[in-house]
Amino acid sequence: MITVPIYDLLLLPGVTFYFKKDTFPQQGIGSESVGESILFVMLRAEKDRQDLTSEDIYPIGIHGVIDNIDDEENIRVHADQLVHIRNIRQVDEGLHADIEPVEEIDDLPGEEAKERFAKVKKQLMDYSKGLQWGIWARSMIYHWNSLEEAICALAGYMNYSWQDKYALLEMTSRRERFNHMEEAIFELMEIFRVGEEAESAQKDSNE
């Protein structure tokens, strides 16, 4: 299993991520391969991996599996579950940890999640029609299959601290996490809308 320390990057279970092969700087592990496990450990602050100790790492991480590597060395990883991190340690070939699954509360029926996500997706598609970069945005939105995919893609545009991003992983209730993500996306659209109105008003006043 490859252990990858990350900082200020929102990852969630159920989402597929793409990375360049050199994102995984491992010594002595060799070439990554399809089917290999990945453990993403969340750093409390940026720090060189060779200096990491258990105090530098949040207690919950994400396990994933490499499911494709293309000719340009892009690695596709499917994140499949939250895990508790135990006994993080440095060994000769890299960073290692013991893990055990986080027991999530499955309190959000799949059909309800799909219906609510479809509404959010429609609002995002409708909203993006009026944007300068709307064609690019709609192309991206069209390919999202879940609210988790949407929030991971949009997190960089949100007023989300690293602590806010990690807090999503600590939510063991799937309904609570969904509600939080849904609210954050609606808030982002409102922030963009207010910003655009202010910009438009400023242009009008200068004419």
Side-chain angles (χ1 to χ4, degrees):
M1 182 168 61
I2 301 171
T3 303
V4 181
I6 60 174
Y7 177 73
D8 202 19
L9 177 64
L10 180 58
L11 306 181
L12 289 171
V15 175
T16 297
F17 302 95
Y18 296 84
F19 300 92
K20 279 292 187 182
K21 197 167 186 177
D22 58 10
T23 304
F24 307 114
Q26 301 287 320
Q27 295 183 357
I29 287 181
S31 300
E32 293 79 12
S33 58
V34 173
E36 191 164 5
S37 291
I38 300 280
L39 172 63
F40 296 102
V41 295
M42 314 303 178
L43 302 183
R44 295 181 184 274
E46 286 190 280
K47 191 173 181 180
D48 290 339
R49 64 176 295 126
Q50 65 269 19
D51 299 325
L52 294 175
T53 67
S54 57
E55 288 75 25
D56 300 312
I57 294 171
Y58 282 114
I60 293 178
I62 293 185
H63 177 273
V65 176
I66 297 175
D67 62 12
N68 187 64
I69 302 175
D70 65 22
D71 293 338
E72 297 181 355
E73 297 194 331
N74 296 303
I75 297 179
R76 188 174 70 201
V77 178
H78 179 71
D80 55 13
Q81 64 178 338
L82 297 175
V83 293
H84 293 291
I85 307 294
R86 313 285 193 215
N87 190 25
I88 193 81
R89 59 205 182 272
Q90 297 278 357
V91 295
D92 291 342
E93 64 269 28
L95 195 65
H96 281 236
D98 300 325
I99 61 173
E100 59 183 52
V102 171
E103 292 188 14
E104 294 191 83
I105 302 170
D106 192 6
D107 53 358
L108 181 66
E111 283 305 311
E112 180 185 342
K114 286 181 182 177
E115 290 175 7
R116 289 174 63 181
F117 169 64
K119 291 179 181 178
V120 173
K121 187 173 182 177
K122 182 180 185 306
Q123 290 190 50
L124 284 167
M125 291 289 278
D126 291 344
Y127 173 78
S128 65
K129 288 177 182 177
L131 300 178
Q132 225 175 11
W133 37 273
I135 294 176
W136 170 82
R138 288 195 299 279
S139 174
M140 181 175 65
I141 295 166
Y142 176 79
H143 289 94
W144 292 338
N145 295 307
S146 69
L147 198 64
E148 287 80 3
E149 287 187 13
I151 200 75
C152 287
L154 293 172
Y157 302 97
M158 295 177 173
N159 188 24
Y160 256 23
S161 68
W162 173 220
Q163 288 76 18
D164 293 331
K165 294 172 185 176
Y166 178 75
L168 280 175
L169 301 185
E170 293 186 304
M171 295 178 185
T172 56
S173 162
R174 291 179 178 171
R175 181 177 292 277
E176 180 186 7
R177 187 186 301 146
F178 193 100
N179 290 345
H180 185 91
M181 293 187 296
E182 188 178 53
E183 182 180 341
I185 289 176
F186 288 145
E187 183 178 305
L188 179 66
M189 283 192 283
E190 180 63 16
I191 290 171
F192 280 167
R193 183 189 65 78
V194 170
E196 288 164 5
E197 288 180 354
E199 184 178 348
S200 177
Q202 181 66 35
K203 285 181 180 178
D204 291 342
S205 66
N206 292 335
E207 291 178 355

